[in-house]
């Protein structure tokens, strides 16, 4: 199934170019008391919610996809986990001093860098706008396959890892280039985009064989296939869960292929991954007002 979050936090099922409003299915979620458990409540109970949703489809209001504003399908991940340099061809281009900023990238894999986390407050959906910071710095797009964790797991081996996946999304890991830690440069508000909807695992035959591409203003910048991942999805789950417990709704950004490049105010970014859909979102015509406060070292 494919579900989305749209407009004022409505829940929708995707059918062709229509959305079925199945917000009433959220009634099956248990009431919450402080302190709220970590992890995304909807993803924790996703099977139950989607089962209820199927009972609502016959009478659900239908809306054209083009008329709604899509938000991130996962609202409250406990972690946004990111693989650094995880495609060989991107390792080569990242040696460019404008990207490397003094880091030694020779023969490095995620095993050398570990994984990094982005601020949850950076997360938006494809119906929102990216607002750039740091006008004097390079602000890059990074197209990535995003894995959504469905069940808690800790120290899971790669043979079992795929059992813990709820689904997949298209992701943009927006990046201010510079010498600072990635968790800082990539965590600005709006610098993490997920969408257009979440596709559950049963609809994705092999997430390790998906074409992905990205265009800026109609010009192709990134074009690759997830079979070129250095650490595949199961290995990333094994690696991440070797260090911390993964919770329902945690997002794993699997790394970007070659072709990263700058975007500017007013640009339109189109991102597509086979079987997961496609979206186009805008880069705001204005920089964030706080933009000049962060100087490059
Ligand atoms: Mn990235």
């Amino acid at each position: 199934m494919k579900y989305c979050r749209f407009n004022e936090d409505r829940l929708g099922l995707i059918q062709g170019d229509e959305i079925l409003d199945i917000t009433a299915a959220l009634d099956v979620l248990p009431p919450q008391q402080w302190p709220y458990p970590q992890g995304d409540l909807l993803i924790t109970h996703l099977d139950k919610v989607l089962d209820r949703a199927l009972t609502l489809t016959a009478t659900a209001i239908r809306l054209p996809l083009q008329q709604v504003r899509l938000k991130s399908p996962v609202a409250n991940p406990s972690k946004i986990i990111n693989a650094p340099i995880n495609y060989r061809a991107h390792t080569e281009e990242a040696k460019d001093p404008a990207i490397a900023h003094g880091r030694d990238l020779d023969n490095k894999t995620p095993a050398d860098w570990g994984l990094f986390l982005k601020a949850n407050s950076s997360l938006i959906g494809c119906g929102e706008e990216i607002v750039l910071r740091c006008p004097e710095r390079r602000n890059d797009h990074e197209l990535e396959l995003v894995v959504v964790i469905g069940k808690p797991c800790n120290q899971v081996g790669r043979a079992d890892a795929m059992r813990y996946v709820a689904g997949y999304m298209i992701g943009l890991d927006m990046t201010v280039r510079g010498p600072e830690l990635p968790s800082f440069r990539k965590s600005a508000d709006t610098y993490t985009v997920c969408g257009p909807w979440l596709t559950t695992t049963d609809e994705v035959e092999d997430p390790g064989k998906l074409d992905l591409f990205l265009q800026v203003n109609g010009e192709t910048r990134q074009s690759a296939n997830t079979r070129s991942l250095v650490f595949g999805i199961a290995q990333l789950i094994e690696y991440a869960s070797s260090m911390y417990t993964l919770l329902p709704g945690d997002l794993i950004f699997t790394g970007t292929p070659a072709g990263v490049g700058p975007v500017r105010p007013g640009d339109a970014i189109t991102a597509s991954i086979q079987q997961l859909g496609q979206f186009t979102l805008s880069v705001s015509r204005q920089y964030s007002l706080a933009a000049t406060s962060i100087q490059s070292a």
Side-chain angles (χ1 to χ4, degrees), residues 98-158:
I99 299 177
H101 282 273
R103 286 176 285 267
D104 173 14
L105 302 179
D106 254 341
N107 298 314
K108 295 288 200 298
T109 74
D112 299 289
W113 303 110
L115 305 170
F116 65 91
L117 302 176
K118 294 181 71 166
N120 296 347
S121 49
S122 65
L123 183 60
I124 61 168
C126 61
E128 300 171 77
E129 274 193 336
I130 295 170
V131 185
L132 298 179
R133 302 215 177 204
C134 310
E136 77 287 5
R137 309 262 299 261
R138 202 171 125 173
N139 286 270
D140 278 12
H141 56 77
E142 294 190 356
L143 167 67
E144 312 199 5
L145 171 69
V146 178
V147 178
V148 182
I149 296 296
K151 289 182 281 192
C153 62
N154 182 28
Q155 295 179 302
V156 60
R158 74 187 76 172

Side-chain angles (χ1 to χ4, degrees), residues 168-179:
Y168 304 96
M169 303 185 292
I170 303 171
L172 296 179
D173 170 21
M174 300 303 296
T175 301
V176 179
R177 296 293 172 204

Side-chain angles (χ1 to χ4, degrees), residues 205-234:
E205 203 176 316
D206 184 352
K209 285 185 188 160
L210 301 177
D211 290 328
L212 60 171
F213 82 86
L214 179 140
Q215 295 181 331
V216 177
N217 303 330
E219 172 204 335
T220 298
R221 296 266 188 95
Q222 298 188 275
S223 180
N225 187 287
T226 55
R227 75 168 70 85
S228 305
L229 283 165
V230 177
F231 274 32
I233 295 163

Side-chain angles (χ1 to χ4, degrees), residues 17 26 44 69 143 173 183 207 215-216 229 232 265-266 273 279-280 290:
D17 52 9
L26 294 173
T44 301
R69 187 165 171 265
L143 167 67
D173 170 21
S183 60
Q215 295 181 331
V216 177
L229 283 165
I273 300 184
F279 61 73
T280 297

Side-chain angles (χ1 to χ4, degrees), residues 29-268:
L29 294 179
Q32 293 282 289
Q33 274 192 331
W34 184 89
Y36 305 120
Q38 291 193 339
D40 185 90
L41 185 67
L42 172 59
I43 302 295
T44 301
H45 301 282
L46 189 61
D47 289 347
K48 222 160 89 178
V49 172
L50 293 181
D51 280 351
R52 172 63 67 91
L54 288 176
T55 69
L56 302 170
T57 54
T59 54
I61 292 172
R62 291 169 177 265
L63 300 160
L65 250 175
Q66 288 178 334
Q67 281 177 24
V68 305
R69 187 165 171 265
L70 292 170
K71 294 180 162 180
S72 169
V74 181
N76 294 303
S78 84
K79 295 182 283 300
I80 302 176
I81 300 159
N82 294 258
I85 303 184
N86 197 25
Y87 285 82
R88 289 280 175 216
H90 176 57
T91 312
E92 288 310 308
E93 75 172 356
K95 291 175 183 172
D96 177 344
I99 299 177
H101 282 273
R103 286 176 285 267
D104 173 14
L105 302 179
D106 254 341
N107 298 314
K108 295 288 200 298
T109 74
D112 299 289
W113 303 110
L115 305 170
F116 65 91
L117 302 176
K118 294 181 71 166
N120 296 347
S121 49
S122 65
L123 183 60
I124 61 168
C126 61
E128 300 171 77
E129 274 193 336
I130 295 170
V131 185
L132 298 179
R133 302 215 177 204
C134 310
E136 77 287 5
R137 309 262 299 261
R138 202 171 125 173
N139 286 270
D140 278 12
H141 56 77
E142 294 190 356
L143 167 67
E144 312 199 5
L145 171 69
V146 178
V147 178
V148 182
I149 296 296
K151 289 182 281 192
C153 62
N154 182 28
Q155 295 179 302
V156 60
R158 74 187 76 172
D160 295 323
M162 301 306 279
R163 290 187 206 165
Y164 296 91
V165 177
Y168 304 96
M169 303 185 292
I170 303 171
L172 296 179
D173 170 21
M174 300 303 296
T175 301
V176 179
R177 296 293 172 204
E180 303 93 340
L181 295 173
S183 60
F184 184 65
R185 292 183 284 111
K186 292 167 170 271
S187 282
D189 291 2
T190 75
Y191 273 48
T192 305
V193 183
C194 281
W197 40 75
L198 184 148
T199 302
T200 53
T201 50
D202 55 298
E203 293 206 5
V204 182
E205 203 176 316
D206 184 352
K209 285 185 188 160
L210 301 177
D211 290 328
L212 60 171
F213 82 86
L214 179 140
Q215 295 181 331
V216 177
N217 303 330
E219 172 204 335
T220 298
R221 296 266 188 95
Q222 298 188 275
S223 180
N225 187 287
T226 55
R227 75 168 70 85
S228 305
L229 283 165
V230 177
F231 274 32
I233 295 163
Q235 193 177 358
L236 284 171
I237 294 169
E238 176 184 72
Y239 190 42
S241 74
S242 73
M243 188 56 83
Y244 33 61
T245 298
L246 302 180
L247 297 173
D250 280 3
L251 308 178
I252 302 179
F253 278 66
T254 54
T256 196
V260 300
V263 294
R264 296 193 173 74
D267 282 351

